[in-house]
Amino acid sequence: MTEDVVNWEEDLEEDAVIANAIKTLNIQKQHNFSEVRPSTERVDSVALPCGHQMPADYVVAWFKYYLKQKKTEFSCPGFNDVQMKTCGTKLSYQEICRLIPLTDKQREFLEENLAALVAKRLFDFKACPGCQYHVERRDRSNLCVNCIICTANMKRPYFFCWNCRREWKGPANNAVRCDNNGCGQKARTSDPLKPCKPEIKREMLGEEGEDIYPMKDKSPDRKRLALLINNVEFKYIDDRTGADKDELSMEMLLKGLGYTVVTLRDLTAQGMLAAIRDFARREEHDQSDSCFVVLMSHGDASGIFGVFFESLSSDDEEDILPTDAIFNCLNTPNCAGLKDKPKIILIQACRGDKEGSVDVPDCVPRHRRGKEHREKDFCCLRSCTPDTVCYRNKQKGSHFIQDIVEIFNEHACQDHMEELFRKVLKKFKETHPDQMPCKERTTLSKRFYLFPGL
């Protein structure tokens, strides 16, 4: 091994030490362990510095959502009644640690993601296509990067392209692209959602006219929102293995339809109620034409289970969200921004304990039990009929969510919402006879077309 290679390896080792030190330093700055309360106690609600009182699990779920957006600060989602808009007060991870006794699992998840975001901002790292070790790009004006490990192994200088991650071809100094075919061009990923053709939209609007809900054309001024709550890990009952597949599929569908998706995981009933209330008051609804609210959890006839639900609990305050609460939050008095606009609600949760014969039941047997109309322009599809279970495959996700995504991807380009729901029901009749989704509390007075891509 040459002396130059030895020096390169020493530099690499030194860089790793510096990176780890900065990672540790940033975590310690944000998280003063002496100020963190023990995680054995359960805190139902917490008063934020801005004055909003919120369920603790909702605060943690919202912070996780911000990390997913690659943001390291949490913004309060509560509504400011004085300014008539979402609060938006910034809170750091350190402040959240002072307010909430995080579990070890929560703390580990948050800190690992924070550290990764901090490291990405401080350094520019990518895996070398040759050895898969992470290499830092020190000159951000050059896409040609040297990997010292591959250089040592191959006994020749090895460079790869930061853009396409293939061995470098062409002049060594280039900030645009290397000479590999396709470098510098965005990879085209196949979108399963079929776009609506402009002529079909014009035809629909011409034929049905006033019988169609007005839809805003795709533009920066259109602010469509969707809320997705996915309860996966439960304290006292079985986790919903495979539900992450449903979350990814539904997120992709809703984003393809032009909605900004707020995804929150693992909420109590109080947390779910707070999330829906805050969502209903978001100012973006004024510039929207519709919304989606998707809830995925365990459940029974009385409602949707929070993550602290106990099947044999004798507590008067069971962790259950009644479905009425969803409609109440989004009705005319409580959600002015969505007045006269379609509100689509999808609920993946059991409604009883009558058993089917396949996959994993999404329920736990229980042993106890001026004028505008207040509730209009809703369309709700539930995963099963009253008193029955719905099914979820541990590898693929639930029949309900996966079939909705498949039908919408194929037919939303030309069918209105209730026809899409009919096609979902038809598919269940043909392929999943042990379960039947149920459309209920539907008050759409017009046809609701999604016109994907337009």
Side-chain angles (χ1 to χ4, degrees):
M1 186 181 294
T2 67
E3 182 64 24
D4 287 340
V5 173
V6 172
N7 290 336
W8 285 338
E9 290 187 333
E10 288 175 354
D11 288 343
L12 187 65
E13 185 177 343
E14 181 182 356
D15 288 346
V17 172
I18 293 172
N20 287 329
I22 291 176
K23 172 182 172 181
T24 305
L25 178 62
N26 276 278
I27 289 301
Q28 289 176 342
K29 283 180 180 178
Q30 296 177 41
H31 184 180
N32 187 337
F33 288 95
S34 64
E35 296 176 349
V36 178
R37 290 178 289 168
S39 60
T40 54
E41 59 177 300
R42 176 184 168 186
V43 175
D44 289 328
S45 64
V46 60
L48 300 182
C50 57
H52 283 111
Q53 189 85 17
M54 292 188 172
D57 58 287
Y58 177 42
V59 175
V60 174
W62 196 259
F63 193 84
K64 288 181 178 180
Y65 167 71
Y66 267 73
L67 288 176
K68 192 174 181 179
Q69 311 308 307
K70 304 191 185 307
K71 300 176 182 177
T72 57
E73 280 188 321
F74 159 80
S75 293
C76 173
F79 191 78
N80 188 316
D81 291 304
V82 176
Q83 298 180 353
M84 294 301 294
K85 65 178 184 178
T86 302
C87 176
T89 300
K90 302 289 186 183
L91 291 102
S92 67
Y93 174 57
Q94 183 182 20
E95 289 172 300
I96 289 176
C97 287
R98 289 175 180 170
L99 295 168
I100 302 172
L102 299 172
T103 65
D104 291 340
K105 190 171 185 178
Q106 287 173 332
R107 188 180 296 115
E108 181 181 0
F109 176 89
L110 295 175
E111 290 178 359
E112 283 185 357
N113 281 272
L114 279 168
L117 288 174
V118 171
K120 191 170 183 179
R121 290 180 182 180
L122 291 174
F123 301 105
D124 204 3
F125 285 101
K126 273 189 182 178
C128 167
C131 62
Q132 300 305 313
Y133 280 98
H134 279 77
V135 177
E136 181 188 359
R137 180 172 65 150
R138 299 191 177 186
D139 181 3
R140 299 200 177 194
S141 64
N142 189 8
L143 293 174
C144 182
V145 180
N146 173 237
C147 175
I148 60 173
I149 295 177
C150 287
T151 295
N153 291 339
M154 297 179 180
K155 296 182 170 41
R156 66 171 176 84
Y158 178 85
F159 297 88
F160 69 93
C161 176
W162 198 255
N163 203 18
C164 66
R165 288 188 67 247
R166 287 177 283 180
E167 186 168 1
W168 184 266
K169 288 183 180 180
N173 256 313
N174 199 319
V176 180
R177 62 182 298 259
C178 69
D179 285 350
N180 282 303
N181 290 334
C183 183
Q185 300 175 5
K186 288 186 177 179
R188 294 185 178 180
T189 55
S190 57
D191 187 350
L193 180 64
K194 286 187 177 180
C196 177
K197 296 180 180 179
E199 54 268 28
I200 291 180
K201 182 177 180 179
R202 286 195 298 269
E203 181 182 341
M204 296 295 181
L205 294 175
E207 290 179 356
E208 302 175 33
E210 294 182 357
D211 289 332
I212 297 179
Y213 280 98
M215 301 300 291
K216 292 179 178 288
D217 291 332
K218 186 176 182 180
S219 75
D221 295 330
R222 187 180 71 182
K223 308 289 184 185
R224 287 179 174 174
L225 287 181
L227 175 65
L228 196 165
I229 296 174
N230 186 20
N231 288 342
V232 180
E233 297 182 357
F234 291 76
K235 177 74 172 177
Y236 303 108
I237 58 179
D238 291 341
D239 293 341
R240 297 181 60 250
T241 308
D244 56 326
K245 304 295 191 303
D246 289 342
E247 181 179 309
L248 290 172
S249 298
M250 186 55 65
E251 278 185 334
M252 180 179 289
L253 172 64
L254 292 172
K255 288 176 182 177
L257 292 170
Y259 293 86
T260 298
V261 186
V262 176
T263 302
L264 303 175
R265 269 206 186 193
D266 299 336
L267 295 176
T268 61
Q270 282 187 343
M272 288 188 282
L273 181 59
I276 300 168
R277 279 176 176 167
D278 287 339
F279 177 80
R281 303 189 75 180
R282 291 279 291 265
E283 57 268 26
E284 290 95 331
H285 294 315
D286 291 333
Q287 283 76 49
S288 179
D289 50 28
S290 57
C291 83
F292 274 78
V293 174
V294 184
L295 291 97
M296 300 184 283
S297 186
H298 289 303
D300 67 5
S302 61
I304 301 164
F305 295 171
V307 292
F308 281 97
F309 174 81
E310 294 184 69
S311 60
L312 301 177
S313 172
S314 59
D315 191 346
D316 291 336
E317 294 186 8
E318 291 181 305
D319 195 16
I320 302 176
L321 176 73
T323 53
D324 280 353
I326 305 167
F327 292 87
N328 289 339
C329 288
L330 295 167
N331 66 16
T332 303
N334 295 323
C335 186
L338 289 172
K339 176 178 168 293
D340 299 324
K341 301 172 184 178
K343 297 162 278 287
I344 309 304
I345 299 172
L346 306 175
I347 302 175
Q348 161 65 29
C350 287
R351 304 176 69 180
D353 56 6
K354 292 184 179 178
E355 298 290 342
S357 58
V358 295
D359 298 331
V360 182
D362 244 0
C363 77
V364 176
R366 299 182 65 212
H367 298 273
R368 305 190 317 103
R369 285 225 24 156
K371 288 187 177 182
E372 289 284 349
H373 196 278
R374 295 182 63 87
E375 184 178 305
K376 64 186 185 68
D377 307 308
F378 281 96
C379 194
C380 176
L381 189 66
R382 303 197 61 173
S383 55
C384 56
T385 52
D387 303 319
T388 61
V389 299
C390 52
Y391 296 98
R392 170 177 32 86
N393 184 286
K394 290 185 177 182
Q395 285 74 42
K396 299 179 181 178
S398 67
H399 299 328
F400 179 66
I401 296 296
Q402 296 302 322
D403 283 0
I404 284 178
V405 170
E406 181 181 327
I407 295 293
F408 275 50
N409 279 334
E410 181 68 24
H411 299 288
C413 58
Q414 60 187 16
D415 290 337
H416 59 84
M417 186 60 61
E418 293 194 66
E419 175 62 16
L420 292 171
F421 283 179
R422 187 194 68 79
K423 282 184 165 130
V424 172
L425 269 61
K426 181 182 178 183
K427 181 168 185 183
F428 265 82
K429 181 181 177 181
E430 295 171 350
T431 60
H432 312 303
D434 293 318
Q435 179 182 339
M436 177 55 67
C438 178
K439 186 173 70 174
E440 64 180 34
R441 290 178 78 155
T442 293
T443 53
L444 293 181
S445 58
K446 301 179 182 181
R447 294 186 174 183
F448 174 35
Y449 288 93
L450 290 161
F451 299 129
L454 300 178

